[in-house]
Amino acid sequence: MPIRDGHRPALELSGPVEKPRAAVLLLHGGREHGTTAPPPWNLPGARLRLFEGAIRGAIRRSTSQDAVLLGRVRYRVRGWNGERQDAAQDARRALRELELLAGEVPTVLVGHSMGARAALAAAGDPLVRGVVGLAPWCPTGEPVAHLRGRRVVLLHGDKDRTTDPRSSLDFAARAGAAGADAATVLMYGSGHAMLSRATAWHDLTGRAVAGFLGLAELPAVISEQFPPTSTSR
């Protein structure tokens, strides 16, 4: 049974999977501060749901769709809230619930903005194979040591005025120095909402997820940034 810990489960499944061999968890954006619960339907959540179809399509081209569980991280509150790191705590809760449900399945986290920060923070979990960060919120000095052995790609619009694409470049460089396979792809002409060039965002995300799970070749724009000897865990 899912861990409840006094709250609703942190893991929300997108559909039933009887015996998954892998999993993908999506984490939508939020706010820097906020202690109220997100409404059931909200714009950040709706924005990230648009990526689910692309991820399913990439998986379907590589293996049986039923072999990969897709789910979402349900936040207790809508803010990061400083040292509380509420979204990251919810991501870790969801991973524990996933492990109880499906066992030790290789997992990729896909997060947007605050959700990307939460995914990166939780990526030291043994289940996590990689992270796809979309327009991530990566403050200066964010920890990276726990990403050793993980694969990370950060997609960031060069017109983003909410989170800084230069912070993604810095984060990926530091993560790579700490032992991660890390790449940054600038999405030219696109902003934080990922509406401009939406098809390119969706396609690259789906292919990155399939590649991180070992179901397909990674796009060259990502793999060429990894060390020549890089292999999936």
Side-chain angles (χ1 to χ4, degrees):
M1 294 292 291
I3 299 170
R4 294 187 180 275
D5 192 27
H7 300 277
R8 294 189 303 166
L11 176 62
E12 179 184 7
L13 300 181
S14 295
V17 178
E18 186 173 347
K19 294 181 179 179
R21 299 199 302 267
V24 182
L25 299 186
L26 284 78
L27 299 88
H28 66 71
R31 300 178 177 178
E32 184 174 358
H33 303 288
T35 55
T36 59
W41 290 97
N42 58 80
L43 181 57
R47 179 179 293 130
L48 201 55
R49 285 172 189 263
L50 297 175
F51 284 79
E52 287 190 27
I55 293 170
R56 289 185 186 278
I59 291 170
R60 189 182 300 115
R61 289 191 293 272
S62 309
T63 186
S64 168
Q65 181 175 323
D66 293 339
V68 180
L69 180 152
L70 263 67
R72 310 178 193 96
V73 174
R74 180 188 284 122
Y75 302 141
R76 290 166 296 169
V77 298
R78 60 176 58 190
W80 179 265
N81 299 319
E83 293 183 356
R84 284 175 41 168
Q85 301 183 15
D86 285 310
Q89 296 297 338
D90 291 334
R92 295 184 182 104
R93 290 174 59 235
L95 286 164
R96 295 283 64 75
E97 294 175 12
L98 171 64
E99 186 175 20
L100 285 175
L101 178 69
E104 297 180 358
V105 294
T107 301
V108 172
L109 305 178
V110 179
H112 174 239
S113 195
M114 183 192 77
R117 185 180 184 184
L120 291 164
D125 188 278
L127 294 186
V128 178
R129 176 167 292 181
V131 175
V132 180
L134 309 172
W137 175 24
C138 297
T140 301
E142 197 80 346
V144 296
H146 63 290
L147 296 172
R148 181 177 181 85
R150 273 61 175 179
R151 289 184 148 189
V152 175
V153 61
L154 307 179
L155 312 183
H156 216 134
D158 68 325
K159 303 298 184 184
D160 197 324
R161 298 295 179 265
T162 301
T163 56
D164 190 346
R166 293 173 297 182
S167 68
S168 287
L169 293 166
D170 175 71
F171 185 95
R174 292 191 301 110
D181 292 337
T184 305
V185 180
L186 290 178
M187 309 295 285
Y188 291 102
S190 191
H192 194 69
M194 307 176 293
L195 297 176
S196 177
R197 302 187 62 205
T199 299
W201 282 90
H202 298 165
D203 178 70
L204 193 52
T205 298
R207 293 168 63 202
V209 168
F212 284 176
L213 290 176
L215 302 175
E217 293 292 326
L218 277 171
V221 70
I222 297 172
S223 62
E224 289 173 354
Q225 298 184 57
F226 290 169
T229 57
S230 171
T231 57
S232 299
R233 290 191 300 152

